[in-house]
Amino acid sequence: MLTNTATRYGAVARGLHWAMALLVIAALALGLIGKVTPRNADTVDWLQVLYSLHKTIGVTVLALAVLRILWALSQPRPAPLHPERRLETLAAEAAHWLLYGAILVLPLSGWVMHAAEDGFAPIWWPFGQTLPFVPKSDTIAGIAGGVHFLAAIALVATLAAHIGGALKHALIDRDATLARMWRGAEAGGPEAAGGHRRTAWAALAIWAAVIALPFASAGRQQAGAGVAPGQAEAAGWQVQTGTLGFEVIQMGATVEGRFDSWEAAIDYDPQTGTGEVAVTIDMTSVALGSVTDQAKGPEFFDVARHAQAVFAARIARIDGAAHQATGSLTLVGRTVPVVLAFDLDLADGTATAAGRVTLDRRDFGIGAAYPDDSNVGFAVPVEITLTATPQE
Ligand code: HEM
Ligand code: HEM
């Protein structure tokens, strides 16, 4: 019962079909939800989980697809129940070829896009995040992303026809097409399906177009881009205005704090969305409501011994306005890895950035004499806003 005959789908074909149907539809739904979710500092954590799940399901689909195709090649295919309806039979067959293509093209293009991009949401597996022969490149990621997007559209259209067809067989024709795939029912004549070359070629032509179109449009964009030399280099930015605030939860009440004196050296290339930042904070400029002096004292920031804090990080664009600065913060003499999520908007030559990160004061040994979270909160949200213009 594991194998197919001319009149039935065996358990292996059915198991693979339904497991993959579930995974493909889940990947599709996650991809579409990701697409319509606004990307900013508030959503970046959740998008990371969503895309990691999306990619992990996607590469599972690819592994199963290879197994499935090898299996299908070794098996007879049950014949259509109404071969006399030629157009319908050809359409169903073309849809099957398109679906076989989709389970290869979608995960492969996604994987190439992922490998060409700087890390954001990792695939949850131990085999690394890169691909041999795929360098980090915005152009390659853009083309693979274009293929991925067109392929997703082709998949949605084909699935609508495929699922619609299955329902039509079940509800209108009332034949055993769906039952054959669903519970392995037997139906039809003794001849296995021959398959028509024309439908396979038609599906192949559609996949060739899906893959070729993004290449063609990337070529056009590059020819017309006319980037001035030097423009693609990371350039220095001068901070014009800015605030650096933080909050301390003391006995359940929020106390707002800020640093009035700090400097940021920023290199950022808007074309690639990458750069570096180094923020130097004058710790003596701290203000924390009525407890400013206590904050400067030896139990907390100990500014007499540690007059400066430094945050040094590499900037990477996540998507659109959403960016991350990944680096380390040296505070009261301790250096701790910190990832700052921020939004960056460019308008009229001015960059406006707003980001936040929640630190844990225990990582720096700050307030060790206050071991109770409800007295002086462990979590310290930090917010930074600034505007900057390119350096002359
Ligand atoms: C609710 C969703 C789905 C339903 C109701 C459904 C139903 C069916 C049925 C009834 C068949 C048998 C057709 C026949 O005997 O000619 C079939 C075959 C097939 N389905 Fe689906 N399907 C669904 C989702 C999917 C998805 C998501 C994919 C892949 C992306 C897929 C790929 C295929 C392929 C490739 C075949 C041909 C199998 C072969 O003959 O080797 N299906 N499906
Ligand atoms: C069956 C497999 C898959 C399906 C059906 C699928 C479908 C989708 C859809 C519908 C979108 C949203 C539209 C778009 O932005 O292009 C999307 C986005 C995305 N997918 Fe997939 N995908 C699959 C596999 C993968 C895999 C294996 C990876 C990576 C390892 C991947 C990486 C991505 C990424 C990075 C995006 C975001 C593109 C962007 O907007 O920047 N996908 N996918």
Side-chain angles (χ1 to χ4, degrees):
M1 294 299 264
L2 288 179
T3 52
N4 294 358
T5 67
T7 53
R8 108 181 156 220
Y9 281 104
V12 176
R14 285 184 290 123
L16 283 167
H17 176 269
W18 293 111
M20 293 191 67
L22 212 68
L23 292 173
V24 168
I25 290 169
L28 197 58
L30 288 168
L32 293 175
I33 293 171
K35 182 102 187 144
V36 299
T37 304
R39 301 189 174 190
N40 53 46
D42 290 334
T43 56
V44 68
D45 284 349
W46 128 258
L47 276 174
Q48 187 150 1
V49 174
L50 180 144
Y51 276 113
S52 279
L53 187 60
H54 174 81
K55 293 171 184 178
T56 308
I57 292 177
V59 290
T60 311
V61 167
L62 182 61
L64 287 175
V66 173
L67 284 181
R68 177 169 184 189
I69 288 168
L70 290 177
W71 179 255
L73 287 174
S74 75
Q75 298 290 307
R77 276 193 311 122
L81 295 179
H82 298 285
E84 72 286 359
R85 301 181 192 161
R86 266 187 72 74
L87 202 62
E88 201 180 296
T89 307
L90 289 178
E93 220 178 87
H96 293 169
W97 286 116
L98 281 170
L99 291 171
Y100 275 123
I103 56 184
L104 295 174
V105 174
L106 269 156
L108 280 173
S109 57
W111 197 1
V112 170
M113 165 169 47
H114 170 74
E117 278 171 339
D118 267 323
F120 161 43
I123 306 172
W124 289 323
W125 71 0
F127 308 115
Q129 305 293 330
T130 54
L131 269 176
F133 311 115
V134 178
K136 298 278 176 211
S137 148
D138 282 351
T139 311
I140 294 180
I143 293 173
V147 173
H148 201 65
F149 182 65
L150 284 183
I153 294 178
L155 171 64
V156 169
T158 313
L159 266 186
H162 181 70
I163 296 174
L167 291 179
K168 171 186 172 284
H169 279 287
L171 302 176
I172 298 174
D173 299 343
R174 293 183 177 276
D175 67 23
T177 303
L178 182 56
R180 261 197 332 193
M181 186 48 98
W182 183 243
R183 44 185 178 81
E186 299 231 14
E191 286 284 310
H196 299 80
R197 275 196 190 173
R198 263 178 305 161
T199 57
W201 281 114
L204 207 63
I206 291 178
W207 282 122
V210 162
I211 294 169
L213 272 175
F215 275 94
S217 94
R220 261 205 316 281
Q221 270 172 21
Q222 279 200 338
V227 179
Q231 203 173 317
E233 304 264 304
W237 291 74
Q238 183 81 46
V239 175
Q240 301 297 340
T241 60
T243 61
L244 177 56
F246 63 99
E247 286 176 0
V248 176
I249 320 287
Q250 207 187 2
M251 313 289 275
T254 303
V255 186
E256 308 253 349
R258 60 170 203 279
F259 293 93
D260 289 325
S261 172
W262 52 275
E263 283 174 359
I266 305 170
D267 271 340
Y268 177 73
D269 176 359
Q271 299 219 329
T272 60
T274 57
E276 285 179 3
V277 61
V279 184
T280 311
I281 303 155
D282 174 0
M283 297 303 288
T284 63
S285 73
V286 68
L288 186 62
S290 59
V291 286
T292 299
D293 287 339
Q294 209 182 345
K296 289 182 183 172
E299 285 183 325
F300 292 93
F301 291 141
D302 198 6
V303 301
R305 291 179 52 210
H306 303 287
Q308 274 193 345
V310 176
F311 174 57
R314 294 170 66 82
I315 300 173
R317 182 187 290 143
I318 304 300
D319 194 72
H323 288 65
Q324 260 179 8
T326 308
S328 60
L329 173 65
T330 305
L331 182 62
V332 296
R334 289 205 199 179
T335 302
V336 169
V338 166
V339 179
L340 169 76
F342 65 99
D343 285 338
L344 183 111
D345 290 304
L346 277 170
D348 303 329
T350 300
T352 306
R356 73 178 65 104
V357 59
T358 297
L359 304 175
D360 188 321
R361 66 178 171 87
R362 292 169 298 179
D363 293 343
F364 301 91
I366 292 177
Y370 299 81
D372 188 351
D373 186 34
S374 61
N375 190 350
V376 179
F378 295 148
V380 178
V382 176
E383 260 194 53
I384 183 161
T385 65
L386 61 82
T387 60
T389 49
Q391 258 160 4
E392 297 299 314

